[in-house]
Amino acid sequence: MKSLLAPFRQTTGMARWLLVTGVGIVFIFVLAALLAPVIAPYRFDQMEDADGQRFTKLSPPGPGHLLGVNDQFYDIFSRIVWGAQTALTVVLLAVLLSLVIGVVLGLVSGYVGRWIDRVLVFIMDAMYAFPSLLLAIVFSFLLKGVFDSIGGTLLFGMRPGVLSAALSLTVIYIPQYFRVVRNTTVSAREATYVEAARAIGASNVTIMSRYLFSNVIQSVPVIGTINAADAISTLAALGFLGLGIQPNEASEWGYDLSRALDDAASGIWWTGMFPGIAIVLLVTGLTLIGEGLNETINPTLRKRRFAPITLPPRAQEVVAK
Amino acid sequence: MPTKPDIPIALDVQDLQVYFKLRGSGLSRLLGKEGGTVKAVDHVSLRLRRGEVLGLVGESGSGKTTLGRAILGLVPATGGAIEHTSGGESVDISKLRGRALREHRTKVQMIFQDPHAALNPAMTIATQVGHPLVIHQKLRGAELRERVVAALESVGLAPAEQFMGKYPSDLSGGQKQRAVIARSIILNPDVLVADEPVSMLDMSVRAKILQLMLDLKHKLGLTYVYITHDLATAKFFCDRVAIMYLGKVVEIGPTDEIFANPRHPYTQALLKAIPDVDPAKQVPRDLPRGEIPDAARPPRGCSFHPRCPLARAECGWEPRDLKALVEEHWTRVPVDEYEHEHAVVGGLRELNTDAKTVLVQPTRGGTVAEIFAMFTKIRDENPDEPLWSGVTRIEQTPDGVAFDFAEPAEIALHPAGSSEVACVRVNAQ
Ligand SMILES: Nc1ncnc2c1ncn2[C@@H]1O[C@H](COP(=O)(O)OP(=O)(O)O)[C@@H](O)[C@H]1O
Ligand code: SF4
Ligand SMILES: [Mg+2]
């Protein structure tokens, strides 16, 4: 935990400024998500007020409906606030799951080597090479099919649509953690302290969890925040395509944005503008955090990021018999 | 060899071999070519009695670390046995695997060369020093803490409280090595392998660490395998010394005997490298010439022969030595002479072998007679060069100049005085 948080404390100058701005923006969304029942005047799927009176379809921002009403009779402000809850839940779940799975697979693959490593590297590289949105679409289709066949309205306390969105995002981010952790592990495994751990009789599981883990996860927080930003936009894209969370399951900005397309032509700007701003703001906030951390953790990496590094081929690879 | 039969043997290394397979490049693997083999430890036998300190001395690459790692089962033995006796029970460490091997590590421990790398940078000193107890005896809480404090104080990290919460990066090199030693003794092992424990430390703390290791030995009844490339500390520290060269023990004997009466030419050369040896005892020859050979293709016969100032006909001369001789000759002659000779014989690739017979063929521009003349000239420059004693035939044939090399003698350890030495000169006596 200490090493995970260290990069946050070590920031300075420009990086700190980026980080603070990003944290500020994200903090507002987190508040909105946590306090949604208090802040939002209506439920995300509410179409009428307490007296049973339907909202006026497409009414503009004004008293009663701070940001207006959209074409499905939903209060836009409430949709935005509940949407923050949906977005952050999905992204938190996706990032945590992909982080745990990616780190564990990377550790095992890098430490154990042999065929396990070759197979995993092959699969992960293939997944990484695939356009992530396409991968997310495929997986959300598959998962939706599976969840529909299971039936029920709640899975692990979540709507099936929310869970399948989170899981399909999980899948597309696993390779990033895997690659970083696996490569760091391959070099750390040769360190003397690993041999020393073996010499005191530590088992492979102990070596991986107590000796390698804390030394190979340095860059994981950065990947986590950058992925979170990416996950927000991918989630919105899925919703925009109608493949994500359905409007009666939870409020989702991307879906609302797609509904607003027709309105824009007739001069109704508020139905699309506000979900759009919410997406852009949250993505920006998370990106700022990621970049701020990246600057701190690896200042040289940023400059070299686009320069190809080619290693000379190894003439002879040394392997213990 | 005078032994003390009343003291039981703690460690008996019998004919141990540790070979590493080199994997060839991708292409040569596709073509079905095998990579070479490094014989890091090549038929080594050693015996340690309880409480004894055995020094393993040799230049870098001689296989000392690999031998030490094999004693802990950290590298698999290719052949031979490592019998460890403790409490009347004997186990062959080289045959242990998995859990049994890990459990055996309670009795044999290791101190590493680089204290800066041997500690986990992300663990506190108290946690890592106590970790062996957690792993093997499942101690925790106050009991664990008590043992950790005792271990830290016994290695001079006192008061222990001051060090327990620190990370390795907070400690100096000497303090780190003390922590490594504390970790290695906390399980009460009876054999400690110390791999150049002071070579990475400042001069000022070396003596203190060595003294600490001696104190611990007496206090805990430890048996040491002390690895070093530095004969001076071996003299201070060891009861017996084994000199290693390219994976083999070339001389082994009591420390006093090795220093007073070195018999192997390599030992003699190493001793001369120590600045403060009595000048009257110095051997009247130069330091070994040349570099340590490639371990994947060790020299034929006695592997020390290319560098040995006392080598003879039967020491294992081979075409590669001839190539080295010509190349060395070329560094001394004027440029035009070098260019002429190089044009006649080419790159001498045919000499890259350890065959008994070899044919040096002229290039398109050269003739057999010119090659013969060149070798004759080189030979006349220094007829005493021991290589020529190992060449049994030089003959001009229609295709080139043919060389035959003498059959190498059997090189094995033989008793000499109170030592054992692997050298034809000593065998003959
Ligand atoms: N894991 C390994 N794989 C291949 N070769 C190795 C390995 N470990 C050591 N070697 C080779 O074995 C030889 C002996 O090495 P080492 O035991 O480290 O010698 P020393 O400790 O005396 O310097 C060297 O040639 C080295 O390159
Ligand atoms: S056998 Fe003895 S004399 Fe011959 S090369 Fe080896 S060390 Fe020198
Ligand atoms: Mg070594």
Side-chain angles (χ1 to χ4, degrees):
Chain A
M1 206 58 210
K2 180 174 175 268
S3 53
L4 265 178
L5 284 178
F8 289 90
R9 278 185 274 104
Q10 290 161 358
T11 50
T12 48
M14 179 68 173
R16 161 137 297 182
W17 190 85
L18 291 177
L19 199 56
V20 167
T21 315
V23 169
I25 296 173
V26 173
F27 184 67
I28 293 171
F29 280 92
V30 171
L31 268 190
L34 291 177
L35 302 178
V38 184
I39 296 174
Y42 307 104
R43 295 190 320 271
F44 70 90
D45 56 353
Q46 194 169 346
M47 302 178 179
E48 50 204 15
D49 58 23
D51 307 333
Q53 181 73 39
R54 273 222 159 190
F55 300 149
T56 319
K57 183 174 174 177
L58 293 174
S59 65
H65 298 288
L66 197 56
L67 304 179
V69 174
N70 71 10
D71 67 334
Q72 287 181 300
F73 303 96
Y74 294 146
D75 173 61
I76 297 180
F77 179 67
S78 304
R79 291 285 291 180
I80 299 283
V81 172
W82 288 107
Q85 191 176 62
T86 312
L88 290 174
T89 312
V90 168
V91 167
L92 195 69
L93 192 65
V95 168
L96 282 183
L97 273 180
S98 58
L99 190 150
V100 169
I101 298 173
V103 168
V104 169
L105 288 183
L107 254 181
V108 171
S109 189
Y111 179 71
V112 175
R114 292 179 299 186
W115 65 268
I116 294 186
D117 186 44
R118 262 171 279 148
V119 170
L120 280 174
V121 166
F122 178 80
I123 295 174
M124 294 293 169
D125 279 354
M127 277 165 62
Y128 193 72
F130 222 67
S132 59
L133 182 58
L134 210 54
L135 205 60
I137 291 172
V138 170
F139 271 93
S140 63
F141 257 128
L142 287 177
L143 289 169
K144 218 171 236 163
V146 173
F147 290 166
D148 284 348
S149 70
I150 295 173
T153 49
L154 281 180
L155 284 167
F156 307 109
M158 263 179 287
R159 300 290 195 128
V162 178
L163 190 61
S164 75
L167 292 183
S168 44
L169 290 178
T170 300
V171 171
I172 66 179
Y173 298 120
I174 290 175
Q176 301 190 17
Y177 301 97
F178 173 84
R179 285 157 65 111
V180 167
V181 169
R182 184 251 171 207
N183 291 344
T184 329
T185 307
V186 166
S187 52
R189 143 185 98 176
E190 304 298 329
T192 308
Y193 65 81
V194 173
E195 170 127 332
R198 212 170 285 138
I200 60 173
S203 65
N204 287 333
V205 173
T206 309
I207 290 176
M208 281 190 270
S209 60
R210 300 296 306 277
Y211 287 82
L212 286 171
F213 176 75
S214 43
N215 290 299
V216 298
I217 52 161
Q218 255 85 357
S219 43
V220 163
V222 177
I223 307 178
T225 47
I226 291 176
N227 282 348
D230 191 68
I232 296 286
S233 41
T234 309
L235 176 67
L238 281 179
F240 191 86
L241 295 172
L243 298 165
I245 297 162
Q246 295 309 306
N248 59 343
E249 288 185 314
S251 166
E252 202 279 308
W253 301 329
Y255 175 84
D256 288 359
L257 199 59
S258 76
R259 297 284 308 194
L261 274 186
D262 299 337
D263 309 336
S266 44
I268 297 168
W269 52 270
W270 56 90
T271 53
M273 173 102 137
F274 296 115
I277 289 178
I279 295 171
V280 170
L281 264 183
L282 186 49
V283 169
T284 309
L286 288 167
T287 307
L288 287 180
I289 297 180
E291 292 297 303
L293 288 182
N294 201 10
E295 194 95 24
T296 312
I297 291 184
N298 210 341
T300 49
L301 188 85
R302 267 177 60 79
K303 286 185 207 112
R304 289 207 218 110
R305 196 188 275 166
F306 299 107
I309 299 169
T310 37
L311 295 174
R314 259 190 294 181
Q316 291 202 308
E317 214 176 348
V318 167
V319 170
K321 186 178 172 180
Chain B
M1 188 172 70
T3 50
K4 303 167 203 152
D6 44 323
I7 305 176
I9 286 174
L11 196 66
D12 190 359
V13 177
Q14 298 155 10
D15 199 36
L16 181 71
Q17 301 132 58
V18 181
Y19 296 171
F20 294 109
K21 268 230 162 67
L22 295 175
R23 227 199 272 156
S25 65
L27 183 65
S28 63
R29 238 182 301 154
L30 276 183
L31 296 175
K33 265 196 255 172
E34 271 285 302
T37 305
V38 174
K39 300 185 173 180
V41 175
D42 196 11
H43 298 282
V44 166
S45 299
L46 302 165
R47 270 188 178 181
L48 273 92
R49 294 187 180 277
R50 285 204 78 136
E52 192 177 32
V53 181
L54 173 73
L56 290 181
V57 183
E59 284 163 296
S60 153
S62 51
K64 311 179 296 292
T65 298
T66 306
L67 177 50
R69 295 176 67 210
I71 292 173
L72 267 87
L74 291 170
V75 279
T78 312
I82 304 163
E83 210 144 277
H84 174 237
T85 310
S86 131
E89 263 179 65
S90 285
V91 201
D92 181 354
I93 299 176
S94 69
K95 305 286 182 298
L96 295 179
R97 295 285 177 275
R99 176 177 292 272
L101 178 59
R102 276 189 276 123
E103 267 161 22
H104 197 78
R105 304 245 168 86
T106 53
K107 302 189 189 121
V108 185
Q109 275 292 311
M110 184 150 180
I111 301 172
F112 296 86
Q113 178 170 13
D114 184 357
H116 307 287
L119 294 169
N120 182 352
M123 228 186 221
T124 62
I125 296 299
T127 314
Q128 38 197 332
V129 167
H131 209 201
L133 287 174
V134 177
I135 291 172
H136 292 285
Q137 299 173 3
K138 323 280 188 230
L139 289 193
R140 49 171 59 208
E143 210 180 339
L144 172 65
R145 194 185 152 82
E146 205 175 290
R147 297 275 294 274
V148 170
V149 168
L152 286 175
E153 301 204 325
S154 71
V155 298
L157 291 177
E161 282 73 21
Q162 206 181 315
F163 296 94
M164 293 179 72
K166 289 196 167 156
Y167 285 87
S169 54
D170 303 328
L171 302 190
S172 71
Q175 289 170 333
K176 282 183 207 170
Q177 196 63 301
R178 285 173 194 268
V180 171
I181 294 174
R183 180 176 62 185
S184 70
I185 58 165
I186 202 160
L187 289 170
N188 284 324
D190 45 45
V191 176
L192 256 188
V193 176
D195 186 3
E196 312 208 23
V198 295
S199 69
M200 310 271 290
L201 299 178
D202 286 345
M203 277 297 172
S204 55
V205 294
R206 287 188 180 182
K208 285 187 204 146
I209 297 287
L210 286 178
Q211 191 55 51
L212 168 68
M213 289 176 57
L214 278 184
D215 295 346
L216 289 174
K217 173 185 121 106
H218 291 126
K219 210 167 86 185
L220 308 173
L222 293 168
T223 307
Y224 277 119
V225 177
Y226 175 71
I227 296 173
T228 180
H229 60 262
D230 165 22
L231 267 173
T233 59
K235 186 176 187 176
F236 163 75
F237 202 69
C238 303
D239 302 319
R240 281 194 306 139
V241 170
I243 310 284
M244 286 189 72
Y245 190 75
L246 281 186
K248 292 200 167 81
V249 171
V250 296
E251 180 163 6
I252 180 169
T255 309
D256 296 342
E257 178 76 2
I258 297 277
F259 279 82
N261 209 346
R263 291 182 172 85
H264 196 282
Y266 180 59
T267 313
Q268 295 169 354
L270 281 181
L271 271 174
K272 272 188 305 171
I274 306 181
D276 60 353
V277 168
D278 181 358
K281 296 229 172 84
Q282 288 201 357
V283 204
R285 281 295 277 259
D286 295 326
L287 272 169
R289 54 187 180 166
E291 302 192 347
I292 307 168
D294 177 4
R297 302 176 60 212
R300 205 155 75 108
C302 170
S303 26
F304 187 54
H305 80 255
R307 303 171 70 192
C308 180
L310 305 173
R312 294 180 178 181
E314 66 272 35
C315 290
W317 297 102
E318 53 181 314
R320 279 186 286 166
D321 301 317
L322 193 59
K323 180 167 190 245
L325 188 70
V326 174
E327 280 167 354
E328 192 250 348
H329 155 82
W330 279 343
T331 63
R332 281 184 281 109
V333 299
V335 177
D336 50 344
E337 195 175 331
Y338 157 71
E339 277 169 359
H340 170 71
E341 291 180 359
H342 192 263
V344 171
V345 295
L348 290 172
R349 291 256 286 285
E350 58 269 50
L351 291 181
N352 266 337
T353 162
D354 57 2
K356 263 166 55 188
T357 299
V358 75
L359 185 71
V360 180
Q361 288 171 309
T363 56
R364 223 166 275 156
T367 65
V368 175
E370 280 175 310
I371 296 181
F372 190 74
M374 181 188 95
F375 279 111
T376 312
K377 192 181 79 188
I378 294 175
R379 181 179 180 166
D380 290 344
E381 275 171 11
N382 182 10
D384 294 336
E385 163 60 49
L387 164 80
W388 299 115
S389 67
V391 177
T392 53
R393 177 178 71 116
I394 310 180
E395 193 182 340
Q396 297 189 58
T397 71
D399 298 329
V401 180
F403 292 85
D404 278 357
F405 291 86
E407 188 66 37
E410 184 74 35
I411 313 274
L413 282 173
H414 286 277
S418 52
S419 307
E420 286 177 79
V421 185
C423 171
V424 288
R425 307 181 66 89
V426 177
N427 298 356
Q429 284 161 10

